[in-house]
Amino acid sequence: MRILVVEDEPTMAQSLQAGLVAEGFAVDVAVDGEEGLWLAGEVSYDAIVLDLMLPKVNGFVLCRTLRERDDWTPVLMLTAKDGHLDEAEGLDTGADDYLTKPFSFVVLLARLRALLRRRGSERPTVLSAGDLQLDPATHEVRRGAVAVNLTAREFSILEFLMRESGNVVSKAKIMEHVWDFNFDGDPNIVEVYIRSLRKKVDIPFGRTSIGTIRGAGYKMALDGG
Ligand code: CA
């Protein structure tokens, strides 16, 4: 899952980025509202963590502009201000949730996961495709009763494929949701990860859940293969 953090305080931005990357998210940081709006238009993010008080374009305006563009990316708004008025105002501009600084990172993660689940239709906490299960909160993956150990990157790719179960996802789409702007390597890296995922979640169990759709990408079988 790829997250945009729009935050002008460097320490806060860095700690959010480091914390989210450690949780397996791909993260881009914008240091003002203008950059935030630009990035949000360039990349289809899975969620945006948006500070309210920002140089150039503030969080309210940024959020409202996104919604006017018909961009419904989940937005978690951060504010140093406290008060119900701000909260109502934030939600009125189209933010999906709200967190007052200072907040605990654990709470931010929980709220973010809730937003990612809510995306589109209601989604279960634990993702499953047949007997393949993935828990975004605990980072556990199971095939039936067997726990499967994945690297952070493998986990992110599998999570994305499982959220899109039944749909064909292109290599470019996987790149966009799993890697951040700092990645300038070969897009064929996706193939390498798909191979290692198959070795872990499919081949040992005699399954073929991650299908290759020639010329188009990959597809996670709804029944887990
Ligand atoms: Ca700020």
Side-chain angles (χ1 to χ4, degrees), residues 19-37:
L20 290 170
V21 166
E23 288 293 318
F25 292 102
V27 181
D28 295 313
V29 174
V31 297
D32 62 50
E34 206 172 83
E35 192 186 7
L37 261 181

Side-chain angles (χ1 to χ4, degrees), residues 41-70:
E42 290 293 302
V43 177
S44 95
Y45 288 101
D46 297 290
I48 300 174
V49 177
L50 177 62
D51 188 31
L52 173 59
M53 303 302 284
L54 289 167
K56 298 186 184 172
V57 176
N58 74 37
F60 284 153
V61 174
L62 197 160
C63 194
R64 206 173 47 222
T65 309
L66 287 181
R67 298 324 185 211
E68 281 166 6
R69 286 179 185 170
D70 243 356

Side-chain angles (χ1 to χ4, degrees), residues 6-9 12 31 51-55 78-80 101:
V6 191
E7 168 64 80
D8 58 311
E9 291 161 51
M12 175 64 100
V31 297
D51 188 31
L52 173 59
M53 303 302 284
L54 289 167
L78 305 178
T79 179
K101 293 177 183 173

